[in-house]
């Protein structure tokens, strides 16, 4: 079946640093999604990407839909304590199930 | 405001007991999903439904069942709970031809 490889599995960074994580797949997706899960909560959508090559920003977050449609990355600039959580990438094709990566757990050191 | 809720938020049960986790959404979405989240595995799909009376197995469906008698609810039943089913369970819903899934707050289930 379709699988997404998300890396890194976890990150430990200092407050103020930039963060980068990515997701690759052996399959093509028409849509890439990035979710964030706060501790004790369900995942919430951060950014949706619908077009190969698309670069989209949402505040300090920037995500790109790879040209091959098989990968995507998420960058967070100038991290702050509330950025802590698990970030999931997800790929989707119209009218089909959404496939989730295993998540990147972000820790911010004081 | 429309929302998706899960109950209970926490449940402790014993091996062999039947357990039902509730999921209710008020978006009128046809598509509903159940996932379990375990360390190292991310979100794994258990069952899903594309509408009333429709149910489908996901990648980890053994030991679980769902029923869809109305649009708003998709209860998840563990027929005979096992310790391997200790996990956090998330329900989600999605509109037709949409990509964004809205997740509930989760149910933490412990099977002793």
């Amino acid at each position: 079946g379709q699988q997404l490889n998300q890396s890194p599995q976890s990150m430990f960074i200092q407050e103020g640093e930039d963060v980068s994580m990515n997701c690759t797949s052996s399959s093509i997706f028409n849509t890439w999604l990035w979710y964030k899960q706060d501790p004790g909560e369900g995942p919430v959508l951060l950014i949706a990407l619908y077009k190969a090559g698309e670069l989209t920003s949402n505040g300090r977050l920037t995500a790109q839909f790879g040209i091959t449609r098989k990968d995507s990355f998420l960058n967070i600039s100038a991290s702050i304590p509330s950025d802590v959580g698990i970030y999931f990438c997800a790929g989707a094709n119209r009218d089909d199930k959404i496939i989730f990566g295993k998540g990147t757990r972000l820790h911010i050191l004081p | 405001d429309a929302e998706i809720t899960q109950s209970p938020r926490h449940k402790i049960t014993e091996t062999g007991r039947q357990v039902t986790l509730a999921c209710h959404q008020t978006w009128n979405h046809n598509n509903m999903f159940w996932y379990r989240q375990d360390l190292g595995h991310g979100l794994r799909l258990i069952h899903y439904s594309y509408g009333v009376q429709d149910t489908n197995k996901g990648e980890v469906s053994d030991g679980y069942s769902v029923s869809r008698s109305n649009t708003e609810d998709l209860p998840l039943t563990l027929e005979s709970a096992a310790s391997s089913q200790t996990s956090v369970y998330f329900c989600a819903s999605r509109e037709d031809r949409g990509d964004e899934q809205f997740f509930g707050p989760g149910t933490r289930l412990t099977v002793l």
Side-chain angles (χ1 to χ4, degrees), chain A residues 31 33 35 37 40-45 50 86 88 92-98 100-103 105, chain B residues 9 33 35 37 39-43 45 48 50 90 94 96-106:
Chain A
T31 302
L33 307 162
Y35 283 82
Q37 183 182 24
E41 304 288 334
V44 173
L45 184 69
Y50 298 105
I86 304 175
F88 291 100
N93 290 314
R94 193 63 73 187
D95 297 331
D96 203 354
K97 297 183 295 296
I98 293 176
F100 286 88
K102 292 185 177 180
R105 191 177 290 265
Chain B
R9 293 295 312 274
F33 308 84
Y35 296 86
Q37 184 177 27
L39 202 61
H41 291 281
L43 294 162
L45 185 64
Y48 59 101
Y50 288 149
F90 287 99
R94 191 176 92 210
D96 290 343
R97 290 190 287 279
D99 296 314
E100 178 174 4
Q101 280 185 191
F102 296 88
F103 284 84

Side-chain angles (χ1 to χ4, degrees), chain A residues 1 3 5 9-10 20 29 35 39 60 65 68 71-72 74 76 84-86 97 109:
Chain A
Q3 286 190 330
N5 298 309
Q9 280 190 325
S10 64
S20 185
F29 289 106
Y35 283 82
R60 293 178 296 105
F65 190 146
T68 64
D71 63 323
S72 178
L74 175 71
I76 306 172
V84 163
I86 304 175
K97 297 183 295 296
L109 303 170

Side-chain angles (χ1 to χ4, degrees), chain B residues 8-104:
Chain B
R9 293 295 312 274
H10 302 271
K11 173 81 176 176
I12 299 175
T13 191
E14 294 178 339
T15 302
R17 290 194 183 257
Q18 184 182 76
V19 176
T20 296
L21 309 183
C23 175
H24 179 80
Q25 52 98 3
T26 57
W27 277 296
N28 204 36
H29 289 164
N30 284 323
N31 308 312
M32 295 185 72
F33 308 84
W34 273 104
Y35 296 86
R36 60 178 288 174
Q37 184 177 27
D38 305 285
L39 202 61
H41 291 281
L43 294 162
R44 291 186 290 176
L45 185 64
I46 305 171
H47 281 285
Y48 59 101
S49 168
Y50 288 149
V52 175
Q53 302 301 333
D54 176 73
T55 61
N56 305 281
K57 293 182 179 180
E59 64 177 301
V60 289
S61 60
D62 287 348
Y64 303 94
S65 64
V66 293
S67 59
R68 189 87 182 271
S69 58
N70 59 53
T71 301
E72 295 79 19
D73 300 288
L74 186 71
L76 176 72
T77 297
L78 287 67
E79 303 295 343
S80 177
S83 57
S84 60
Q85 294 176 308
T86 292
S87 186
V88 181
Y89 291 85
F90 287 99
C91 179
S93 73
R94 191 176 92 210
E95 64 179 6
D96 290 343
R97 290 190 287 279
D99 296 314
E100 178 174 4
Q101 280 185 191
F102 296 88
F103 284 84

